[in-house]
Amino acid sequence: MEILFVHGAGGYQDDLPLAEELRTRLGLPVTAPRFPDADMSAAGWRSEIERHRNTLAPDLVIVGHSFGASMALLHLADEFQGTPPLGFVLLAMPFWGSEGWQAEYTLPADATLPTGFPVWLHHCVDDEVVPIGHLDRHAARLPQAQVRRHTSGGHQFEGRMGAVADDVGTL
């Protein structure tokens, strides 16, 4: 099994410790490419996710953080071709289209995930970047998802990556 780690918008350097902690805890290969800061379009990021996904083994888990989590989910639900990854573990994912968050990134109302596709949603209550209410909206939209609400850890999941690694390890 391999992990594709999709960092948040403009957060490549900030998110590298999250990817490294997964590598250390799980002893698995973690690919954490730098996604484009210049092209923040949904199409641009989904294309990059697909490009990197195609270079990795088929037994792939995608872990996404913040904007990267929402782009990974949008990619799978909207345009995914081929064999889906083993599952998604999504951290601090914004719910786009709500409260002024950009509609370009919104998961379409008719979007579906493959039946039985494993999804975990992690969010810290004290996240000051993406409010905790976004987790509740995603949980309602994705009833098959396992929801992990952490009391602390902020946007960068300080001290919470063990729980994230545990979920990745179940796949």
Side-chain angles (χ1 to χ4, degrees):
M1 179 168 60
E2 284 185 77
I3 298 168
L4 173 60
F5 186 90
V6 184
H7 66 80
Y12 178 71
Q13 290 297 326
D14 292 339
D15 287 359
L16 281 178
L18 303 177
E20 184 56 38
E21 190 165 351
L22 287 174
R23 181 181 296 115
T24 300
R25 286 181 177 275
L26 295 167
L28 294 171
V30 176
T31 299
R34 182 179 205 122
F35 286 82
D37 291 332
D39 180 3
M40 293 302 300
S41 70
W45 274 59
R46 289 191 331 252
S47 173
E48 282 295 297
I49 290 167
E50 181 70 9
R51 186 173 73 79
H52 289 292
R53 191 188 67 79
N54 287 333
T55 67
L56 301 173
D59 58 341
L60 176 68
V61 175
I62 296 179
V63 176
H65 180 242
S66 196
F67 181 80
S70 59
M71 291 303 96
L73 181 62
L74 183 60
H75 172 67
L76 179 68
D78 192 31
E79 295 183 14
F80 190 80
Q81 303 293 318
T83 305
L86 296 175
F88 276 172
V89 180
L90 306 171
L91 317 175
M93 183 169 55
F95 192 92
W96 299 103
S98 67
E99 300 171 7
W101 293 68
Q102 292 185 359
E104 173 190 1
Y105 309 130
T106 301
L107 190 65
D110 62 349
T112 59
L113 298 177
T115 303
F117 185 77
V119 177
W120 286 267
L121 304 174
H122 287 258
H123 211 111
C124 299
V125 173
D126 64 347
D127 186 333
E128 294 182 1
V129 176
V130 179
I132 191 67
H134 290 236
L135 174 66
D136 299 328
R137 289 186 172 111
H138 280 298
R141 177 72 174 82
L142 302 167
Q144 77 273 32
Q146 298 292 316
V147 176
R148 308 287 193 248
R149 183 183 307 264
H150 305 281
T151 57
S152 63
H155 192 63
Q156 291 305 123
F157 283 78
E158 294 172 23
R160 299 299 176 188
M161 287 306 288
V164 173
D166 288 348
D167 285 341
V168 172
T170 65
L171 293 168

